[in-house]
Amino acid sequence: MELTAQQIAELLDGTVDGDPKASVHTIAKIEQAQVGSLSFLANPKYESFLYTTQASVLIVPETLVLKNPIAASLVRVPNPYLAFSELLHTVDQMHNGQHSKGIDSQSFIADCATCEEGLYVGAFAYIGKQVKLGKNVKIHPQAYIGPNVEIGDNTIIYAGVKVYKNCKIGSDCIIHSGTIVGSDGFGFAPQNDGTFQKVPQIGNVIIGNKVEIGSNSCIDRATFGSTIIKDGVKLDNLIQVAHNVIIEENTVIAAQTGISGSTQIGKNCMVGGQVGFVGHISIAEGSKINAQSGVSKTIKEKGKSWNGTPATHFRESYKTMAQVRQLPQLEARVKELENLVKELLERNP
Amino acid sequence: MELTAQQIAELLDGTVDGDPKASVHTIAKIEQAQVGSLSFLANPKYESFLYTTQASVLIVPETLVLKNPIAASLVRVPNPYLAFSELLHTVDQMHNGQHSKGIDSQSFIADCATCEEGLYVGAFAYIGKQVKLGKNVKIHPQAYIGPNVEIGDNTIIYAGVKVYKNCKIGSDCIIHSGTIVGSDGFGFAPQNDGTFQKVPQIGNVIIGNKVEIGSNSCIDRATFGSTIIKDGVKLDNLIQVAHNVIIEENTVIAAQTGISGSTQIGKNCMVGGQVGFVGHISIAEGSKINAQSGVSKTIKEKGKSWNGTPATHFRESYKTMAQVRQLPQLEARVKELENLVKELLERNP
Amino acid sequence: MELTAQQIAELLDGTVDGDPKASVHTIAKIEQAQVGSLSFLANPKYESFLYTTQASVLIVPETLVLKNPIAASLVRVPNPYLAFSELLHTVDQMHNGQHSKGIDSQSFIADCATCEEGLYVGAFAYIGKQVKLGKNVKIHPQAYIGPNVEIGDNTIIYAGVKVYKNCKIGSDCIIHSGTIVGSDGFGFAPQNDGTFQKVPQIGNVIIGNKVEIGSNSCIDRATFGSTIIKDGVKLDNLIQVAHNVIIEENTVIAAQTGISGSTQIGKNCMVGGQVGFVGHISIAEGSKINAQSGVSKTIKEKGKSWNGTPATHFRESYKTMAQVRQLPQLEARVKELENLVKELLERNP
């Protein structure tokens, strides 16, 4: 890779501010970049590094006003993170010109499976009976696709993913290693003798299009009906999605969050890491849930931010935290009042 | 599947209230059910749907008193959830008449392994030396059964489970994909130079009968002796069970909970999701631990409910939370007192 | 195994206090040990068991002063846990004299991979193109080593581990089953229509020497550059390490902790279980973070202990918790003041 500021501006439909011939051969974080590096500024938290970075070219917001002169050539664009992401796509494609294709002789494919062109099935991958795989589907080594599963065009299933029987995965999805789709929901009926009887989980999981799921996450099958993850949802690593949960379009959920059974998360929500949702509630569209929150009730107001356990409005939760921190002062004020009142009582026997 | 209210009542030993010929061909949640659906009511939270559901047959508590007339035929039983669960078993068996059997030619079985009748070993499964597998054991594709492991009759090991050497799993267990049994406990001895020396983990894991473990959970082997999970325990997904932990009979633990080393959880406990237990404590039988709690001390009282970090009695924790929410009012009362006392002081110079 | 107190003292460079011929044939916890067992005392919490244990030989601190006579022979050493750990190494090696070697015929190895002597590649393991494996590397069954990965001498990769392309793992490392190294970081650029565009993750993961990682953990590859885990780091099970995180030397992190993107954890830190770190912060060396804490800001002071969400100094957090528990008393004091002030006002109309 060897690109000039001018070439980058053309690729990204931006404008150059500085030397258009400044050239880069690698990509680095703004705080670590050396001469010859391309970097970008999207998070204002990193703005001070503008004046110290050795990067040769920087992608910055078009509205950026410099407080001091800087060495790097700037490429100004409306949305630096998005522009940078597009550039990474270009670089990524340069590196990965050839995609895996073909069926490895050490794989297992039941003869009644339906496969279309462009399919890759890696070594030690297992494709069960009646499976339907769309065009350009990539099943990496050691993945397991159970009987009667359907997977849409261009979906990538990485090494070691397990998809239980009857589940459906849409087109243009990416599922990372170690994720389990369709294992039994956690349902047990208590018996009088203290033991539990398993409630069979006869439903499935339905995943829409353009969904990405990270590593080692778990999406349980429904008791009956379907656990549903709709188009454009992005799930991080180590996430728990219980039986009969529904996650609506374009919701993004960070790592280690858990969603209990039958809860419904609205569209365009952003959920931080290590959040917990109790079962049988619903969360309004556009909700933002802060990391480590515990959500115990249905949220009906759309587009609000929530924090804490039990989760309350973001501002309220911060006010409460501040008041808790002020408790020593409050106690001191009460102490002072007690002294004054004692004195007053002595004066007024 | 096509069943009438009368047939369902006979299967479940219940009584019909309404048209005994009402027939169903599918199963649905009460709030989503269409004509021709069977549904059930167990959680009172859903009672209002009784009067709006289009389900044709509903399984309900025998004591249910209707407040309005309804369209569906009712099947009255003592415990609707349990009855429904039994019905699902029947449906499930109708769907899965044939269970997997036989040994796939693309599996690996060390010649000194002991296998009994009804065994299934899927493609790319690995069975190590001296392994003992009981009757009707099902080892699904890509599972790993390490040397000297024993597994009892009728146990199902789903695709990709890994069981390290010397571990023992009882009869009638189910272990879901991605779960790891018997990896090394987390034990390191600090050295003077700041590095850590690994403490070998030479123990094993012993799992009793009728245990179910969800997906991507981790049960570490003991430093020495055994990590023990007793009969009837049910563990959800993504759970951490550290070395030398003991979980007593019929305890149920929800997803993403972690139990630190050498802690002992009593029998018949119910533990919510994302709970953490510190090491070297014991929890009395019948304890209920609310989701996201942090349990830092031994619990000796049996059968109580606990909440929060550090976990306290459920009621106490809710009282504390209410008081924290009342802090603004308390501060206002102190402010008012300060004004009044100031006034009194001015009157009494 | 059959060892006398005298032999153990010689192995551990300790001194015998009691019968040097007392012999043991098994290892047990001090509170469960039977005659013929070896046990040890390191945690003072267990000191009362000294006087009730039936263990025949006990490894204890050399400075231990007995309050009562005891039955067991003592082996006194400076650091009992470390000594015990060394003894376990000896026992472990007696049990595992032979290590796995050779390449199973049912594995997949791309012909351009570079392998050195002592290599083990188990059944159904996958070794991609251009992979470089050092001396005595052990790749257990069903592991996946992606293209262009490098692994140093003596490293053990357990069954089912997945290592994505271009990642580097040092020497003398241990990675347990189900752990995923190098899956894509969680990066998506929001679009105007509410959807998200994937930001390609073109970096890698670099793991140093003598690193141990537990089961089912996830180490994401960097967006660009590297996610870095330095020498001597020990990670437990089910841990999330996001893209571009750096963990410095000899830091130890317990299970289910999550570290968000670009955060840097200093050397010699000790992090409890279920802790969460927000992104883009750095944690000073020697920090101790209590279990379940939420760390939301950079920590600059070295060697301090932190607790709670948001994390504060350990002492401060415990003081705050105590004050919260005292809220009922504080409210009662305010109530009493209100009564007294009312009385005073009535006396001073």
Side-chain angles (χ1 to χ4, degrees):
Chain A
M1 180 184 124
E2 180 82 40
L3 291 167
T4 65
Q6 184 61 40
Q7 287 172 315
I8 293 167
E10 282 164 15
L11 271 168
L12 302 180
D13 217 8
T15 57
V16 179
D17 183 353
D19 179 7
K21 287 185 189 148
S23 95
V24 293
H25 58 83
T26 188
I27 300 173
K29 289 185 186 181
I30 189 167
E31 71 272 32
Q32 297 171 339
Q34 301 295 313
V35 173
S37 300
L38 169 68
S39 196
F40 76 111
L41 177 76
N43 187 337
K45 206 168 166 178
Y46 288 82
E47 198 161 328
S48 66
F49 291 109
L50 270 177
Y51 308 103
T52 57
T53 185
Q54 298 190 49
S56 298
V57 180
L58 285 170
I59 303 173
V60 300
E62 57 188 1
T63 56
L64 177 74
V65 179
L66 290 175
K67 293 169 191 154
N68 292 298
I70 65 167
S73 293
L74 303 182
V75 174
R76 294 176 175 274
V77 296
N79 182 335
Y81 188 48
L82 193 57
F84 183 71
S85 165
E86 278 164 25
L87 200 71
L88 287 179
H89 273 288
T90 310
V91 173
D92 195 33
Q93 276 167 0
M94 281 157 54
H95 286 217
N96 296 291
Q98 78 304 1
H99 275 297
S100 305
K101 268 191 196 180
I103 293 174
D104 193 280
S105 64
Q106 293 189 86
S107 63
F108 175 104
I109 304 189
D111 36 340
C112 46
T114 310
C115 308
E116 300 209 34
E117 56 180 302
L119 180 67
Y120 167 58
V121 179
F124 319 123
Y126 179 101
I127 313 290
K129 291 177 187 170
Q130 314 286 359
V131 166
K132 287 196 185 68
L133 302 176
K135 284 179 194 163
N136 300 315
V137 166
K138 309 298 176 194
I139 308 288
H140 284 262
Q142 301 145 341
Y144 171 89
I145 311 298
N148 204 33
V149 166
E150 292 180 25
I151 299 179
D153 296 350
N154 308 313
T155 285
I156 302 171
I157 304 289
Y158 277 107
V161 167
K162 312 298 177 200
V163 184
Y164 279 54
K165 65 179 178 185
N166 303 336
C167 294
K168 294 184 199 319
I169 299 174
S171 300
D172 302 302
C173 292
I174 299 174
I175 302 187
H176 281 284
S177 287
T179 282
I180 314 297
V181 175
S183 52
D184 284 354
F186 195 62
F188 299 93
Q191 311 281 89
N192 291 332
D193 64 355
T195 65
F196 290 85
Q197 185 192 289
K198 180 177 177 65
V199 177
Q201 306 289 308
I202 67 171
N204 71 347
V205 175
I206 299 178
I207 294 175
N209 303 317
K210 298 189 180 172
V211 171
E212 182 159 344
I213 305 178
S215 299
N216 283 345
S217 285
C218 299
I219 321 292
D220 277 354
R221 70 195 306 108
T223 309
F224 49 91
S226 300
T227 303
I228 300 173
I229 296 182
K230 295 202 177 161
D231 292 359
V233 167
K234 312 295 181 190
L235 303 182
D236 200 349
N237 304 333
L238 293 164
I239 285 174
Q240 154 72 354
V241 178
H243 46 186
N244 294 90
V245 162
I246 298 174
I247 304 177
E248 303 283 353
E249 285 84 354
N250 300 320
T251 277
V252 176
I253 302 181
Q256 296 179 319
T257 282
I259 308 171
S260 303
S262 296
T263 280
Q264 190 158 351
I265 312 283
K267 63 185 182 180
N268 303 317
C269 290
M270 301 191 78
V271 179
Q274 299 183 336
V275 170
F277 293 89
V278 303
H280 301 277
I281 62 172
S282 69
I283 306 301
E285 68 176 85
S287 296
K288 288 180 175 55
I289 316 283
N290 205 26
Q292 290 194 328
S293 296
V295 185
S296 56
K297 288 185 181 162
T298 282
I299 293 177
K300 289 183 178 167
E301 293 173 90
K302 295 178 185 176
K304 300 287 182 188
S305 295
W306 303 83
N307 185 55
T309 301
T312 54
H313 274 124
F314 202 73
R315 279 197 181 181
E316 200 182 313
S317 103
Y318 273 79
K319 223 162 65 185
T320 302
M321 281 196 282
Q323 281 164 337
V324 167
R325 274 197 301 271
Q326 296 287 322
L327 269 174
Q329 288 88 321
L330 188 65
E331 202 276 340
R333 285 163 66 188
V334 171
K335 186 82 200 151
E336 168 71 4
L337 279 169
E338 285 169 338
N339 289 338
L340 291 173
V341 167
K342 195 178 165 206
E343 208 181 301
L344 280 166
L345 283 171
E346 281 164 5
R347 285 193 227 166
N348 294 267
Chain B
M1 177 184 128
E2 180 82 41
L3 290 166
T4 64
Q6 183 61 39
Q7 288 173 315
I8 292 167
E10 282 165 14
L11 272 167
L12 302 179
D13 217 7
T15 56
V16 179
D17 183 353
D19 179 7
K21 286 181 189 150
S23 93
V24 293
H25 58 82
T26 187
I27 300 173
K29 289 185 185 180
I30 190 166
E31 70 271 31
Q32 297 170 339
Q34 301 296 311
V35 174
S37 299
L38 169 68
S39 195
F40 76 109
L41 177 76
N43 187 337
K45 209 169 164 177
Y46 288 83
E47 199 162 327
S48 66
F49 291 109
L50 269 178
Y51 308 103
T52 57
T53 185
Q54 297 190 49
S56 299
V57 181
L58 285 170
I59 302 172
V60 299
E62 57 189 1
T63 56
L64 176 74
V65 179
L66 291 175
K67 292 169 192 155
N68 291 299
I70 65 167
S73 293
L74 303 181
V75 174
R76 292 175 176 275
V77 297
N79 183 336
Y81 188 49
L82 193 57
F84 184 71
S85 165
E86 279 166 23
L87 199 70
L88 287 179
H89 272 288
T90 309
V91 174
D92 196 34
Q93 277 169 359
M94 280 156 55
H95 286 216
N96 296 292
Q98 77 303 5
H99 275 298
S100 306
K101 270 192 193 177
I103 293 173
D104 193 279
S105 64
Q106 293 188 86
S107 63
F108 176 103
I109 304 190
D111 35 342
C112 45
T114 309
C115 308
E116 300 209 34
E117 57 180 302
L119 179 68
Y120 167 57
V121 179
F124 319 124
Y126 179 100
I127 313 289
K129 290 177 189 171
Q130 313 287 359
V131 166
K132 287 195 185 69
L133 303 175
K135 285 179 194 163
N136 300 314
V137 166
K138 310 298 177 196
I139 308 289
H140 283 262
Q142 301 144 342
Y144 171 88
I145 311 296
N148 203 33
V149 166
E150 292 180 25
I151 299 180
D153 297 350
N154 309 312
T155 284
I156 301 172
I157 304 291
Y158 276 106
V161 168
K162 312 298 177 202
V163 184
Y164 280 54
K165 66 179 179 185
N166 303 336
C167 294
K168 293 184 200 317
I169 299 174
S171 300
D172 303 302
C173 292
I174 298 174
I175 302 186
H176 282 284
S177 287
T179 283
I180 314 297
V181 175
S183 52
D184 284 354
F186 195 64
F188 299 92
Q191 313 279 90
N192 291 332
D193 64 355
T195 65
F196 290 85
Q197 185 192 289
K198 180 176 176 65
V199 178
Q201 307 289 308
I202 68 170
N204 72 348
V205 175
I206 299 178
I207 294 175
N209 303 318
K210 298 188 181 172
V211 171
E212 182 158 345
I213 305 179
S215 300
N216 284 345
S217 285
C218 299
I219 321 291
D220 278 354
R221 68 194 309 107
T223 309
F224 49 91
S226 301
T227 303
I228 301 174
I229 297 181
K230 296 202 177 162
D231 292 358
V233 167
K234 312 294 182 191
L235 302 183
D236 201 349
N237 303 333
L238 293 163
I239 286 174
Q240 155 71 353
V241 178
H243 46 186
N244 294 91
V245 163
I246 299 174
I247 305 178
E248 303 282 354
E249 285 84 353
N250 301 319
T251 277
V252 175
I253 301 181
Q256 296 178 319
T257 282
I259 307 170
S260 303
S262 296
T263 279
Q264 190 160 351
I265 313 283
K267 63 184 182 181
N268 303 316
C269 290
M270 301 189 79
V271 179
Q274 298 182 337
V275 171
F277 294 88
V278 303
H280 302 277
I281 61 173
S282 68
I283 306 301
E285 68 175 85
S287 297
K288 288 180 175 55
I289 317 284
N290 205 25
Q292 289 193 329
S293 296
V295 185
S296 55
K297 287 185 181 161
T298 284
I299 293 177
K300 289 184 177 165
E301 293 174 89
K302 295 179 185 175
K304 300 286 183 190
S305 294
W306 304 83
N307 185 56
T309 301
T312 54
H313 276 125
F314 202 72
R315 279 196 183 183
E316 200 181 313
S317 103
Y318 273 80
K319 222 162 65 186
T320 302
M321 280 196 283
Q323 282 164 339
V324 167
R325 275 197 300 271
Q326 296 286 323
L327 269 174
Q329 287 88 322
L330 188 65
E331 202 275 341
R333 285 163 66 189
V334 170
K335 185 82 200 152
E336 169 70 7
L337 280 169
E338 286 170 338
N339 289 337
L340 291 173
V341 167
K342 193 177 166 207
E343 210 183 298
L344 280 166
L345 284 170
E346 281 164 6
R347 285 193 228 167
N348 295 267
Chain C
M1 177 185 126
E2 180 83 40
L3 291 167
T4 64
Q6 183 61 40
Q7 287 173 314
I8 293 167
E10 281 164 18
L11 272 167
L12 302 179
D13 216 7
T15 56
V16 179
D17 182 352
D19 178 9
K21 287 185 189 148
S23 94
V24 293
H25 58 83
T26 188
I27 300 173
K29 290 185 187 179
I30 190 167
E31 70 272 31
Q32 298 170 339
Q34 301 295 313
V35 173
S37 299
L38 169 68
S39 195
F40 76 110
L41 178 76
N43 187 338
K45 209 168 163 177
Y46 288 83
E47 198 161 327
S48 66
F49 291 109
L50 270 178
Y51 308 102
T52 57
T53 185
Q54 298 191 49
S56 299
V57 180
L58 286 170
I59 302 173
V60 300
E62 58 189 1
T63 55
L64 176 75
V65 178
L66 290 175
K67 292 168 192 155
N68 291 299
I70 66 168
S73 294
L74 303 181
V75 175
R76 292 174 176 276
V77 296
N79 183 335
Y81 188 48
L82 194 56
F84 184 71
S85 165
E86 279 166 22
L87 199 71
L88 288 179
H89 272 290
T90 309
V91 173
D92 196 33
Q93 276 168 0
M94 281 156 55
H95 286 217
N96 297 290
Q98 79 302 4
H99 274 297
S100 305
K101 269 191 196 180
I103 294 175
D104 193 280
S105 63
Q106 293 188 88
S107 63
F108 176 103
I109 304 190
D111 37 340
C112 45
T114 311
C115 309
E116 299 209 34
E117 58 180 300
L119 179 66
Y120 167 59
V121 179
F124 319 124
Y126 179 100
I127 312 290
K129 290 177 188 171
Q130 313 287 359
V131 166
K132 289 196 184 69
L133 302 175
K135 284 179 194 162
N136 301 314
V137 166
K138 310 298 176 195
I139 309 288
H140 285 262
Q142 301 145 341
Y144 171 89
I145 310 298
N148 203 32
V149 167
E150 293 180 25
I151 299 179
D153 297 348
N154 308 313
T155 284
I156 301 172
I157 304 290
Y158 277 107
V161 167
K162 313 297 177 203
V163 184
Y164 280 53
K165 66 180 178 186
N166 302 337
C167 294
K168 294 184 200 316
I169 299 174
S171 301
D172 302 302
C173 293
I174 299 174
I175 302 187
H176 282 284
S177 287
T179 282
I180 314 296
V181 175
S183 52
D184 284 354
F186 195 63
F188 300 93
Q191 312 279 90
N192 291 332
D193 64 355
T195 64
F196 290 85
Q197 186 193 288
K198 180 175 177 67
V199 178
Q201 306 289 308
I202 67 171
N204 72 347
V205 176
I206 299 178
I207 294 175
N209 303 319
K210 298 189 181 173
V211 170
E212 182 159 344
I213 305 179
S215 300
N216 284 345
S217 284
C218 298
I219 320 292
D220 277 353
R221 69 195 307 107
T223 309
F224 48 90
S226 301
T227 303
I228 301 173
I229 296 182
K230 296 202 177 162
D231 293 358
V233 167
K234 312 294 181 189
L235 302 182
D236 201 351
N237 303 334
L238 293 163
I239 286 174
Q240 155 72 353
V241 179
H243 46 186
N244 294 91
V245 163
I246 299 175
I247 305 177
E248 303 283 354
E249 285 85 354
N250 300 320
T251 277
V252 175
I253 302 182
Q256 296 179 319
T257 282
I259 307 170
S260 302
S262 297
T263 280
Q264 191 159 352
I265 313 282
K267 63 184 182 181
N268 303 317
C269 290
M270 301 189 79
V271 179
Q274 298 183 336
V275 170
F277 293 88
V278 303
H280 302 277
I281 61 173
S282 68
I283 306 301
E285 68 176 85
S287 296
K288 288 180 176 54
I289 317 284
N290 205 25
Q292 289 194 328
S293 296
V295 185
S296 55
K297 287 184 182 161
T298 283
I299 293 176
K300 289 183 178 166
E301 294 173 272
K302 295 179 186 175
K304 300 287 183 187
S305 295
W306 304 83
N307 185 56
T309 301
T312 54
H313 275 125
F314 203 72
R315 279 198 181 181
E316 199 181 312
S317 103
Y318 273 79
K319 221 161 67 186
T320 302
M321 280 196 281
Q323 281 164 338
V324 167
R325 273 197 301 271
Q326 296 287 322
L327 269 174
Q329 287 89 322
L330 188 64
E331 202 276 340
R333 284 164 65 189
V334 171
K335 185 82 202 151
E336 168 71 6
L337 279 169
E338 286 170 337
N339 289 338
L340 291 174
V341 167
K342 195 178 164 206
E343 208 183 300
L344 280 166
L345 284 171
E346 281 164 6
R347 285 193 227 167
N348 296 266

